[in-house]
Amino acid sequence: MPAVTVDQLRKSYQDTVALKKESFRVEPGELFGVIGPDGAGKTTLFRILTTLLVPDQGQARVEGFDVVKDYRQIRHITGYMPGEFSLYMDLTVAENLRFFATIFDTTIEENYHLIRDIYQQIEPFKHRLARNLSGGMKQKLALSCALIHKPRVLILDEPTTGVDAVSRKEFWEMLIQLKKQDITILVSTPYMDEAGLCDRVALIQQGSIMKIDSPARILEDFPRKLWAARSNQPYKLLQDLREYIDLASVYPFGDSIHITHKRDEMDKQQLEDFLQQRGHPDIEVAPARPTIEDCFMDLMNQGT
Amino acid sequence: MKTILFILQKEFIQVLRNRTMLLLIILLPFIQLLILVNAATFDMKDIDVYVVDKDLSTTSRELVSKFEASPFYNLVNKSFNMEDGHDKLLRDQAELIVHIPSHFEHDLRNEHHAPVQLLIHAINGTAAGLIHAYSATIISGFNQQIAVEWSQGKLAKANQPLEVVYSYWYNPEMNYKIYMVPGILVILVTIISLFLTAMNIVREKEMGTIEQINVTPIRKYQFIVGKLLPFLVIALFELAFGLFLGRMIFDVPVVGNLGVLFGFTLVYLLVILGFGLFLSVISESQQQVMFVTFFFMLVFILMSGIFTPTESMPDWAKKVNVINPIAYLMKVIRMILLKGSGFMDILKEFYSLLIYAVLSLGLAVWRYRKTV
C-alpha cells in the first residue's frame, strides 16, 4: 500500500485554481519533494493531506485513510510542520514539546530516540521561551514537536524557506537520518537545488504537476543541449540573445545565461560572432550540465 | 478528559506568564471600584450660586442666607448686577443664579405674592434637574416658614393637611456608592471574561498555532472547554475579589445568599463566554475582535441600567434589553446584595439567562465547527 495516494485532486479558491486534478503516489519510506515557486499549489496540497482543507474533487489517502472521511485517524499518524513557525511563543522549548507529546497521548521519553539527534541541539535551551529562539532553533523545535508522536507520515511545508545556508544543509541531513526510521516524508520547497536530496520529486507549477520522477531521471530527460553564455554585460547579453534566431530558451542562471537551441546541434562559432558584433568582445559560450532548475524552466516553456 | 486537562494546564501557564495580564487582573478591580464608584456619583455638592438681590430687605436676605447655610451651595458672589451674573454663568463660574427682584418684600407683604427667578446652567440636564429640585426645596421651605410667621401659625395647619414621611428601603441612607458597587462588579466580570476569551482564540489564529492544534487529535469540544474554563474561573475569582474590596472599602451590604449570586453569575458567564467565542471565531485579527467587542460592550453596558434604571427607558429600549445579558446580572446582583432576594425571586431571570447561555454557546460552537 502506498503511503500517500492522490487521485484527481482539485481545489480552487473563488476564481483561482490551486490544484488542477492532480494524481500521484508516494511509496512508504520515501523522501518525496514537491518543488515549485510560490503560489504553485504546494501548501494547498499539503493542507489537504493534513486534513486542514477539504478538496473540491478527487480523493486523497494517507496510509489508506481518506482525508475527508477518516480525518481523525490521519491526525493520529501524521506529523505536520506548517510553513510559518506555529508553536506557542510564550511557552518554553520543553513546555511546547511536552504539550504536543501529551495531546497525542504519549510522552517525551517514549519517543525520545526519534528526536534525540535534533532535540539534543536545542536541549541546552529547553527553559527558554520559544519566542527567544533563533530561526534555526525554532525550526528544530518545530520538527521535534511534529515528530514526538512517532508519525508514520511527516509533512513539511517549506521548512527551509528563510533559513540560512548552513541550517538548510543541516536540516536536510536530519531528514535523511529520519528516513532511516521508516518515516515517509513529504517536503515542499521553492529551492530547486534541494531537489537532488529527495528520492523522487514532483515539479509543480500553477496547480499542475509537470513531472514526477527521481532527480537523476529528470536530469537525464532534459531534451536539448544546454549552453551557458557569459559576458561582462549580462543584461545587454540577455537582450541580445533574445534577438538571436532559433534559440528555444534564454534565461539568466546565476552569473551566466542559459540557452538551448531548437536544433540539436548549434553552431557555437556563429553565435559568438553574432555577439561580438553586438559589442561583447569577451563573450564565452560553453556547454553546461542541466540542473533541476533548467528542467523546470524547460517544462514550464513546454506547458505554455 | 486528560486532553482537556493538558490544555487547561497550558492555558494557565500562558495566562500566569503574561505579567501585564496578571497585573491587570489584580489591579482592575481596585481601579474600577475606587475611581468609578467615587467619581460616578449623582450627589451634588458645592453648587456654585450667584445671588442677584435687588431688594436687600430683611426677607430677601433671610432667603439668601438659607442658600448660604446649605452644605450643597457655594456662594460665588452677590451683586445687583444681572449682567455680571450672566457672564459668570457663561464662563462656567456659576451654575445657578438666584435673582430676587426689587420690591420683593413689599410685594410679598401687600400682595401675598412675589416672584424669585432661578437661572440654571443646564448643559448637563441631570445636574440641572437636581439643582432645581434642591433650590425649589429651599424656597418652598422658606415660603412655609414666612407663611407661618406672618399669619401667626394659622395658615400653616390649613396648608398642610397631609404629612408625607419617607423611608428608603434597601438603601436607607440613599448611599449612591452602594448602588454603584454591584454595577461596577458586573462591568468588571464582563470585561475580564469577554475580552480575554475573544482575544485568546484570535491570538492563536493570528500566531498560526491553531493550525498546529488542528492537525492534532484534539477534538473541538476539548479545545473549547480548555479555552473557556480558565476564563470562567478567573472571572468568578474577580467577582469574589471585587466583592471583598467593595465590602472592605465601601461597606457594601451582602444581604442575600452568595451561593445564589455566584450560581447566577456562572450562568451569566456562560452567555458572555459564548459571545466571546463567537466573536473570536468570526474575526481574523485581534484588532478586529477588539473593535467589535468594544462596540457591543459599550452599547450593552449603557443600556444595562448601571446609571439609570431600565424601567424608565422607552419601551423599545426595554425590548432591546431582553437580549442584553448585562441587564440581567445588573438587576439580579443588586437584588441579591442589597435586597436579599433568594433564588425563587430571580427564577425568571435565571431561566432566561440559561436559555440564552445555551443559544449563545450553541451558536458559537456551531460556527466554530464550520471552520476547520
Side-chain angles (χ1 to χ4, degrees):
Chain A
M1 184 184 65
V4 175
T5 326
V6 170
D7 187 20
Q8 300 278 304
L9 208 58
R10 191 192 136 90
K11 176 77 192 176
S12 56
Y13 305 101
Q14 278 111 39
D15 300 338
T16 355
V17 182
L19 272 183
K20 301 172 182 163
K21 289 203 168 186
E22 294 310 322
S23 309
F24 66 87
R25 285 171 164 211
V26 179
E27 298 306 323
E30 235 185 335
L31 175 52
F32 188 86
V34 176
I35 301 191
D38 292 344
K42 306 188 294 288
T43 301
T44 303
L45 174 65
F46 281 10
R47 284 172 60 91
I48 291 173
L49 291 179
T50 48
T51 74
L52 289 172
L53 270 183
V54 177
D56 299 338
Q57 273 174 38
Q59 271 198 335
R61 290 178 173 275
V62 177
E63 292 280 315
F65 295 115
D66 186 274
V67 290
V68 180
K69 281 203 304 267
D70 313 317
Y71 71 92
R72 219 167 269 159
Q73 282 90 327
I74 290 182
R75 289 179 184 183
H76 279 282
I77 55 156
T78 50
Y80 175 50
M81 192 173 141
E84 271 161 42
F85 182 74
S86 50
L87 300 177
Y88 291 98
M89 297 282 193
D90 49 356
L91 292 184
T92 63
V93 169
E95 283 166 347
N96 266 303
L97 191 62
R98 196 179 325 119
F99 177 67
F100 283 100
T102 49
I103 56 177
F104 278 103
D105 207 14
T106 178
T107 56
I108 299 177
E109 291 71 30
E110 199 175 320
N111 292 319
Y112 190 74
H113 62 280
L114 260 182
I115 58 162
R116 190 192 297 121
D117 294 341
I118 307 157
Y119 188 59
Q120 264 174 357
Q121 301 175 48
I122 48 172
E123 216 166 5
F125 314 103
K126 67 180 190 183
H127 296 302
R128 193 182 280 192
L129 294 186
R131 80 158 70 88
N132 299 331
L133 292 177
S134 72
M137 290 202 282
K138 273 183 186 158
Q139 200 196 24
K140 283 170 192 143
L141 175 60
L143 186 60
S144 303
C145 288
L147 276 171
I148 193 63
H149 60 288
K150 199 174 191 312
R152 281 192 265 164
V153 178
L154 185 62
I155 296 178
L156 311 165
D157 192 6
E158 299 203 12
T160 52
T161 301
V163 175
D164 68 80
V166 178
S167 298
R168 266 171 66 186
K169 195 161 165 289
E170 267 178 28
F171 194 82
W172 277 94
E173 277 161 15
M174 287 189 280
L175 293 189
I176 289 161
Q177 286 301 311
L178 278 176
K179 231 187 70 168
K180 294 179 186 157
Q181 310 267 4
D182 281 334
I183 297 176
T184 310
I185 303 172
L186 268 79
V187 59
S188 73
T189 176
Y191 302 118
M192 307 281 169
D193 56 329
E194 290 176 349
L197 301 163
C198 302
D199 294 333
R200 280 196 310 146
V201 293
L203 301 183
I204 179 169
Q205 157 75 6
Q206 290 186 337
S208 19
I209 294 174
M210 301 184 295
K211 196 174 185 94
I212 302 178
D213 217 329
S214 69
R217 294 269 284 283
I218 290 181
L219 294 179
E220 272 170 34
D221 287 353
F222 191 73
R224 296 186 189 84
K225 202 166 153 66
L226 184 73
W227 300 84
R230 203 174 272 128
S231 120
N232 58 7
Q233 307 167 73
Y235 183 65
K236 187 169 184 312
L237 180 62
L238 183 66
Q239 285 177 316
D240 291 335
L241 280 168
R242 284 194 173 142
E243 286 173 31
Y244 191 73
I245 47 160
D246 285 347
L247 286 186
S249 62
V250 177
Y251 50 87
F253 187 96
D255 57 352
S256 60
I257 291 170
H258 277 185
I259 49 181
T260 56
H261 198 266
K262 281 180 184 159
R263 284 186 300 276
D264 274 350
E265 278 313 306
M266 180 180 78
D267 192 338
K268 179 180 166 229
Q269 195 55 49
Q270 197 187 345
L271 177 65
E272 279 177 342
D273 290 346
F274 168 79
L275 290 169
Q276 267 161 2
Q277 271 172 20
R278 289 290 185 109
H280 297 280
D282 58 338
I283 185 68
E284 203 181 288
V285 178
R289 281 180 61 181
T291 63
I292 292 286
E293 189 169 339
D294 293 302
C295 300
F296 195 91
M297 297 299 279
D298 179 64
L299 289 164
M300 241 171 78
N301 288 339
Q302 283 176 22
T304 51
Chain B
M1 198 55 222
K2 241 165 62 192
T3 311
I4 295 179
L5 265 170
F6 292 131
I7 301 173
L8 279 178
Q9 192 184 10
K10 177 202 110 203
E11 290 298 321
F12 273 112
I13 292 178
Q14 286 180 303
V15 171
L16 296 182
R17 186 160 289 161
N18 191 338
R19 287 285 161 81
T20 331
M21 201 56 112
L22 208 59
L23 205 67
L24 219 60
I25 291 174
I26 305 290
L27 280 183
L28 214 60
F30 271 109
I31 298 172
Q32 289 212 327
L33 282 173
L34 285 178
I35 296 185
L36 286 181
V37 171
N38 277 313
T41 167
F42 275 166
D43 297 337
M44 296 284 300
K45 274 179 202 141
D46 298 327
I47 301 165
D48 291 322
V49 59
Y50 189 102
V51 174
V52 180
D53 182 359
K54 290 181 180 158
D55 195 42
L56 281 183
S57 59
T58 325
T59 316
S60 73
R61 280 182 200 182
E62 217 174 310
L63 175 58
V64 172
S65 76
K66 291 280 177 204
F67 278 96
E68 283 176 298
S70 159
F72 296 114
Y73 294 90
N74 168 35
L75 188 71
V76 179
N77 200 2
K78 257 194 268 191
S79 78
F80 302 115
N81 189 350
M82 202 57 195
E83 291 300 310
D84 188 44
H86 281 301
D87 193 52
K88 287 278 189 302
L89 204 63
L90 206 66
R91 289 169 189 278
D92 281 341
Q93 283 162 1
E95 289 160 282
L96 166 72
I97 303 175
V98 179
H99 177 206
I100 305 170
S102 44
H103 311 299
F104 173 72
E105 193 182 50
H106 178 264
D107 290 353
L108 204 59
R109 282 201 183 277
N110 300 322
E111 295 168 28
H112 304 290
H113 176 83
V116 175
Q117 186 184 28
L118 296 176
L119 291 154
I120 301 170
H121 191 302
I123 283 207
N124 181 340
T126 318
L130 280 168
I131 295 175
H132 172 251
Y134 286 171
S135 309
T137 315
I138 289 183
I139 294 170
S140 75
F142 178 72
N143 197 9
Q144 204 98 94
Q145 187 192 324
I146 52 171
V148 173
E149 278 172 18
W150 294 356
S151 62
Q152 285 94 38
K154 283 179 219 153
L155 214 57
K157 287 252 149 46
N159 258 357
Q160 256 188 331
L162 294 176
E163 190 188 2
V164 180
V165 180
Y166 296 96
S167 169
Y168 299 106
W169 279 37
Y170 312 126
N171 189 357
E173 287 150 33
M174 297 258 279
N175 184 346
Y176 193 71
K177 286 170 189 168
I178 284 176
Y179 176 71
M180 277 313 284
V181 169
I184 299 295
L185 289 180
V186 174
I187 306 294
L188 185 71
V189 169
T190 313
I191 289 183
I192 290 281
S193 52
L194 187 60
F195 272 82
L196 287 187
T197 316
M199 299 287 275
N200 186 285
I201 295 171
V202 166
R203 195 156 152 257
E204 295 242 358
K205 267 196 210 174
E206 238 176 29
M207 309 222 315
T209 47
I210 201 142
E211 192 99 311
Q212 195 82 62
I213 291 291
N214 281 343
V215 295
T216 68
I218 291 182
R219 306 284 300 274
K220 286 202 166 154
Y221 80 88
Q222 294 171 327
F223 187 67
I224 291 176
V225 173
K227 278 284 173 196
L228 299 190
L229 211 55
F231 301 119
L232 190 77
V233 172
I234 291 172
L236 285 176
F237 165 79
E238 285 290 274
L239 177 64
F241 185 48
L243 210 55
F244 171 75
L245 288 180
R247 188 98 189 92
M248 298 316 275
I249 304 171
F250 299 103
D251 209 17
V252 171
V254 181
V255 185
N257 185 335
L258 281 180
V260 177
L261 178 63
F262 276 87
F264 189 84
T265 310
L266 186 79
V267 178
Y268 168 76
L269 284 172
L270 293 180
V271 180
I272 297 297
L273 293 176
F275 259 83
L277 180 63
F278 182 73
L279 291 179
S280 67
V281 168
I282 59 170
S283 306
E284 287 305 317
S285 66
Q286 296 194 49
Q287 202 182 12
Q288 256 179 33
V289 87
M290 195 69 177
F291 187 75
V292 179
T293 311
F294 193 75
F295 172 78
F296 278 110
M297 279 270 292
L298 209 60
V299 174
F300 279 166
I301 286 177
L302 290 180
M303 293 203 55
S304 69
I306 179 166
F307 299 118
T308 43
T310 47
E311 287 80 7
S312 57
M313 289 180 182
D315 262 346
W316 63 265
K318 281 186 215 163
K319 281 186 188 124
V320 172
N321 264 340
V322 171
I323 59 154
N324 180 357
I326 302 181
Y328 287 89
L329 185 60
M330 198 63 85
K331 184 176 171 193
V332 167
I333 193 173
R334 282 173 178 153
M335 281 170 74
I336 296 175
L337 288 182
L338 309 185
K339 200 168 154 187
S341 300
F343 183 66
M344 296 315 272
D345 304 306
I346 59 162
L347 217 54
K348 184 174 153 248
E349 281 80 9
F350 182 80
Y351 282 123
S352 308
L353 268 196
L354 202 59
I355 293 168
Y356 204 169
V358 171
L359 288 178
S360 123
L361 272 175
L363 181 72
V365 172
W366 170 76
R367 189 67 181 71
Y368 178 64
R369 289 179 75 93
K370 274 187 65 180
T371 62
V372 180

